[in-house]
Amino acid sequence: FAMKGKMPYILLVLLIIVGITSWGAGIALASQTLSSRWISLTAAAILALTSLPMTLRAKNGVKRSITQKTLRGLMHVFVAGGVGYLAILGINRLGATEEKSETLIGEVTERTRHRHNRTRRVGRNRYVPDGHYYTYGAVVTLPDGRKTEQHLSLEEYNRTRIGAKREVTVARGWLGMPVVISMKKLSKNKETGVPIRKKKTKAQRE
């Protein structure tokens, strides 16, 4: 009986973990997708709101208070929205392959450094600050003005200069959104004046 009483709390924790994980993975995929984030966010919101009435429907004839419905609705939007966001970007990413990619010559227009705070657990549900750490990156602007961010180590960050060139391999995914497959420094022996160099397909190479 004790386990049965704890089950709703266990499910709540699991749903929160699923929601946080889905949003985190979705944001990571979004950083590789060149289309406007509002497109995938709007699609995820529509999926979450469309399924919301099923969550709010009374179960076994038990009516919920307005507060319970509000909390349940917010949790549903958070979890379902995150799962939908990850699913949309994930499905699109699966369709982006080297065979239908093109290489664009981008330029580093900004170096980024983000500070993150650490916490340390000292007791049950109790955490205290435990210093901070930094993550580094470079904003690369493509010839058409679109921007993407390249994640860097501290050593790479220190070596990166504004105006440096990057080879950015881009391909369209299954849902039509362009995805950055890879990004690397432009080789010194290659022409930097050509903005786009399309890759040959397997059939063309044969």
Side-chain angles (χ1 to χ4, degrees), residues 13-78:
V13 171
L14 289 175
L15 285 173
I16 292 174
I17 292 173
V18 169
I20 292 174
T21 303
S22 298
W23 279 111
I27 291 171
L29 284 174
S31 67
Q32 303 171 2
T33 306
L34 293 175
S35 63
S36 173
R37 294 189 182 185
W38 287 109
I39 297 175
S40 47
L41 283 172
T42 301
I46 291 173
L47 290 174
L49 294 174
T50 301
S51 57
L52 181 59
M54 292 185 292
T55 301
L56 299 179
R57 190 177 302 160
K59 186 178 180 181
N60 299 327
V62 178
K63 293 186 177 180
R64 300 185 179 89
S65 66
I66 294 178
T67 302
Q68 288 176 322
K69 286 184 176 181
T70 301
L71 293 176
R72 193 179 183 90
L74 290 174
M75 177 59 68
H76 172 84
V77 171
F78 173 70

